[in-house]
Amino acid sequence: MGMTLVEKILADHSGRREVRAGDIVSARVDMILANDVTAPLSIREFRKMGATRVFDPEAIAMVPSHFAPSPSIQAAAQIQAMREFSREQGLPYFFEIGRMGIEHVLLPEEGLVVPGDVVIGADSHTCTNGALGAFATGMGSTDIAAAMALGETWLRVPETLRIVYYGAMKPWVTPKDLILYTIGKIGVAGALYQALEYTGETVRSISMEGRFTMANMAIEAGAKTGIFEADEVTLAWEEGRARRPPRVYRGDPDATYAGTVEIDVRQVQPQVAFPHLPEKTRPVSEAASMDLRIDQAFIGSCTNGRLEDLRLAARVLRGRKVHPDVRLIVIPASQRVYRQALAEGLLDVFVEAGGAVSTPTCGPCLGAHMGVLARGERAISSSNRNFRGRMGHRESEVYLASPAVVAASAVLGRIASPEELGLDETAFFETVGVRAS
Amino acid sequence: MPRRIRGRAWVVGDHVDTDVIIPARYLTTSDPVELARHVLEDLDPTLKSRIQPGDILVAGDNFGCGSSREHAPIALKAAGIACVVARSFARIFYRNAVNVGLPVVQCKQGVPVASERVVVVDFDAGTVTDEATGAVYPAEPLPEVMREILEAGGLVPYVARRLEEQRRHAAASA
């Protein structure tokens, strides 16, 4: 009997010929990451374990991205703790402010995660790396501390739920809309304890950036990881980037799956997730008819702060102004994205429209800083979570959507579709490249 | 680790996420006492003042979904929550709870009690009992590796023991 993609990776990393869903394995880890919220706790627990040296300094990345650049003395102390630990342990991958990015965007960009890896991170969105055909999952600080000491971690091999996408995406439908639609269909606990594997003819035409967005939100369906099989798109993207040789694994045709969900992409409209769960999705046309006035629009985060996202948002905003009652915040997810957006004139478009642009940070997405919501405020965001109080006051509201919908909403002052601005499909396909049906 | 926990129940719903267990605005500290001060405040601002040490949280599906922040089980434990019973748990939270030594019990059929009723969790028998009605609900056993971690007092002492063994082996073979 064959193995799934995830089973293959975990078998190889645990020195076994074969593993099955439900098995508990001890797997070697290729990359471990932690941020300024979770690393200080990891460091403390690492010391409590009596550990003195990390198993391999090159396999550990420390990224201060959440409360960074630090908005308070306490936050500064957390970054200081990870900076000092990185120096003490000789970690080459501590990313200082100004050379930093949101961890799940930065690490793949830097070629620190490659296809076939096992990656664990003290952040739930570590599953983003599954876009590369790696097994990547989030854990807590103590698990990360143990892995930093031992170089391995215990894992229950998950069942795999396959999501098969077919058909071509309609104009203004992005990979973000596909994943929101999928979560709306299966629910926030729809893949609990499982791996989501994204497959089908449509995914071959989705860029790496779009795949990162989809893998990123696997956790919002309760999944342990979200994974794509590495293909020519993946390997082309890794050219000149991968710091280790990629290993391409493929699931066997006779592998056992927990189930298969088929999604006809042609039926999918741009989506909006309503408060306070990512599964509360509705088509943008329905949301737009409800006259939902917004106070803030946010484009950024590890979900949608990549170059493709900024290009799309800029296409919508070019020559337009942000609604007088709205604050638009745009945050490129990494320094590399920032510089490229600068070179392409995208940042100019945002500033010209009346938006605020910041250095990379996770800040607004988790209500840390740089855009915290007051009581009664409503935001539309390109991020991944709209839990109660996520971006600020418990009586504020977060709606999730693609960067195109967020940008259009910023202009109109209410949740809206780009088509309401008279933007036709040419504007969309110009930005996303050749993907017309 | 206690074999049996008897405590007053606080009933919460489905999909209680880590943002409402401990909002990110408090994540510039990992001090348990400080975190406990704000536990569950975005779910129900009145709850934390009513929780007494030894109380049990009884939840629906997908308890602890969202962030990987270990601050969530740390805050619950420091606030005095003795155990969390749920129909299902989010995977990261479940693992974190065991790692920090907060007992978690999955009862797939749910435990339909009202808040402030007394429930008894029996780890050896694998049951949760509603003391008022005597109704008994079966609990899922923890995987072997998690039981070992919980019995060691959490992942820290568990790994400390392994590192100590490695050192002894290294010293013996030197």
Side-chain angles (χ1 to χ4, degrees):
Chain A
M1 200 169 57
M3 289 192 280
T4 64
L5 172 55
V6 161
E7 286 167 343
K8 287 241 177 115
I9 298 174
L10 292 180
D12 259 14
H13 282 76
S14 53
R16 298 205 202 178
R17 279 193 43 233
E18 204 176 88
V19 300
R20 294 277 162 235
D23 287 355
I24 305 258
V25 300
S26 189
R28 187 172 51 71
V29 293
D30 299 294
M31 185 51 70
I32 298 172
L33 56 129
N35 59 53
D36 50 313
V37 165
T38 56
L41 198 47
S42 286
I43 295 163
R44 192 170 84 194
E45 302 306 289
F46 179 82
R47 302 218 194 277
K48 278 205 237 159
M49 285 167 184
T52 51
R53 303 302 304 171
V54 300
F55 83 106
D56 177 4
E58 304 247 340
I60 296 162
M62 293 267 170
V63 189
S65 55
H66 281 56
F67 288 84
S70 43
S72 68
I73 294 168
Q74 272 193 317
Q78 299 211 131
I79 299 176
Q80 184 181 46
M82 57 197 303
R83 185 184 291 121
E84 286 174 355
F85 181 78
S86 301
R87 284 181 190 153
E88 172 202 300
Q89 297 287 325
L91 307 185
Y93 304 125
F94 170 75
F95 294 91
E96 195 52 270
I97 311 303
R99 283 144 270 167
M100 181 273 280
I102 297 175
E103 51 197 340
H104 315 302
V105 175
L106 181 71
L107 264 50
E109 246 183 13
E110 292 291 319
L112 290 171
V113 172
V114 300
D117 276 357
V118 167
V119 183
I120 62 170
D123 189 288
S124 62
H125 291 109
T126 302
C127 54
T128 312
N129 294 287
L132 293 168
F135 177 86
T137 193
M139 290 184 180
S141 296
T142 305
D143 268 316
I144 292 309
M148 289 199 300
L150 302 170
E152 57 180 46
T153 192
W154 74 267
L155 291 165
R156 181 186 166 280
V157 179
E159 292 82 25
T160 295
L161 178 63
R162 287 200 317 159
I163 313 284
V164 182
Y165 299 94
Y166 63 95
M169 287 185 271
K170 280 200 230 161
W172 302 106
V173 174
T174 67
K176 173 62 162 292
D177 300 300
L178 294 192
I179 188 63
L180 284 175
Y181 181 86
T182 305
I183 295 165
K185 196 174 166 81
I186 69 174
V188 292
L192 211 55
Y193 302 110
Q194 298 178 333
L196 278 184
E197 187 178 330
Y198 308 100
T199 181
E201 61 181 49
T202 311
V203 304
R204 303 288 155 224
S205 66
I206 297 177
S207 69
M208 273 319 299
E209 292 176 303
R211 295 182 193 190
F212 284 122
T213 301
M214 293 175 70
N216 175 272
M217 290 192 72
I219 182 71
E220 313 313 334
K224 185 169 191 154
T225 192
I227 193 166
F228 288 79
E229 205 170 83
D231 61 8
E232 59 284 3
V233 176
T234 326
L235 295 175
W237 194 82
E238 286 290 357
E239 273 298 317
R241 205 186 292 262
R243 301 205 192 190
R244 282 172 282 117
R247 285 152 299 156
V248 175
Y249 293 87
R250 298 195 191 292
D252 295 318
D254 58 340
T256 306
Y257 293 94
T260 300
V261 176
E262 297 207 356
I263 293 176
D264 179 354
V265 166
R266 291 167 301 188
Q267 307 300 319
V268 180
Q269 270 198 47
Q271 301 286 304
V272 176
F274 279 54
H276 294 285
L277 279 179
E279 71 181 21
K280 295 194 174 170
T281 53
R282 298 185 196 205
V284 70
S285 56
E286 198 183 318
S289 69
M290 295 166 76
D291 193 30
L292 294 158
R293 305 276 157 168
I294 56 164
D295 301 287
Q296 184 167 301
F298 170 51
I299 297 164
S301 88
C302 58
T303 314
N304 281 117
R306 297 182 183 81
L307 198 59
E308 195 173 274
D309 303 317
L310 300 191
R311 283 182 183 147
L312 192 55
R315 187 64 190 80
V316 174
L317 286 159
R318 185 168 294 130
R320 296 188 171 80
K321 292 284 181 200
V322 173
H323 190 278
D325 298 337
V326 175
R327 315 179 287 269
L328 169 68
I329 298 166
V330 184
I331 306 188
S334 74
Q335 208 68 13
R336 202 185 288 242
V337 172
Y338 191 103
R339 292 189 62 182
Q340 185 63 30
L342 193 63
E344 291 183 19
L346 307 180
L347 303 187
D348 224 32
V349 172
F350 301 133
V351 175
E352 189 64 36
V357 179
S358 149
T359 186
T361 179
C362 303
C365 170
L366 76 159
H369 63 133
M370 280 294 298
V372 177
L373 301 178
R375 180 199 292 265
E377 287 193 323
R378 182 182 289 146
I380 187 160
S381 169
S382 76
S383 63
N384 41 43
R385 279 189 185 137
N386 56 352
F387 297 154
R388 182 181 289 282
R390 173 71 176 175
M391 289 180 73
H393 198 279
R394 74 182 293 271
E395 288 166 43
S396 60
E397 289 185 343
V398 182
Y399 291 70
L400 305 175
S402 77
V405 170
V406 175
S409 305
V411 171
L412 290 168
R414 56 179 174 79
I415 295 181
S417 153
E419 284 166 304
E420 291 184 60
L421 293 171
L423 282 154
D424 65 12
E425 55 184 77
T426 327
F428 176 70
F429 288 118
E430 262 170 27
T431 319
V432 297
V434 195
R435 209 163 47 185
S437 42
Chain B
M1 184 200 143
R3 310 306 320 165
R4 192 170 171 279
I5 295 171
R6 180 177 178 276
R8 199 166 50 137
W10 292 108
V11 178
V12 293
D14 293 334
H15 315 302
V16 172
D17 62 77
T18 49
D19 277 85
V20 295
I21 297 173
I22 183 74
R25 57 187 177 271
Y26 303 118
L27 297 186
T28 52
T29 180
S30 46
D31 174 27
V33 178
E34 188 57 37
L35 294 172
R37 218 167 267 155
H38 304 289
V39 77
L40 297 166
E41 76 177 26
D42 277 3
L43 182 70
D44 173 358
T46 69
L47 198 54
K48 64 178 184 286
S49 62
R50 292 185 285 153
I51 290 172
Q52 298 290 322
D55 286 356
I56 293 171
L57 223 49
V58 177
D61 274 324
N62 201 22
F63 185 86
C65 59
S67 164
S68 76
R69 63 188 70 158
E70 207 166 287
H71 310 65
I74 289 173
L76 290 169
K77 193 182 173 197
I81 294 293
C83 181
V84 184
V85 177
R87 207 155 47 224
S88 63
F89 287 91
R91 188 193 60 82
I92 305 176
F93 178 89
Y94 192 66
R95 192 167 170 139
N96 282 346
V98 170
N99 287 348
V100 305
L102 173 69
V104 277
V105 177
Q106 190 178 345
C107 287
K108 279 189 178 162
Q109 57 182 216
V111 176
V113 295
S115 279
E116 304 195 56
R117 284 254 281 271
V118 173
V119 294
V120 179
V121 179
D122 187 322
F123 292 94
D124 291 329
T127 57
V128 177
T129 305
D130 177 348
E131 215 172 60
T133 63
V136 178
Y137 304 94
E140 300 291 307
L142 277 180
E144 182 67 26
V145 58
M146 295 190 106
R147 203 157 52 233
E148 283 172 22
I149 293 167
L150 205 53
E151 273 162 11
L155 189 61
V156 169
Y158 181 81
V159 174
R161 211 160 57 199
R162 266 194 66 181
L163 289 173
E164 187 51 43
E165 277 164 22
Q166 281 180 6
R167 272 185 219 109
R168 267 207 308 273
H169 278 298
S173 58

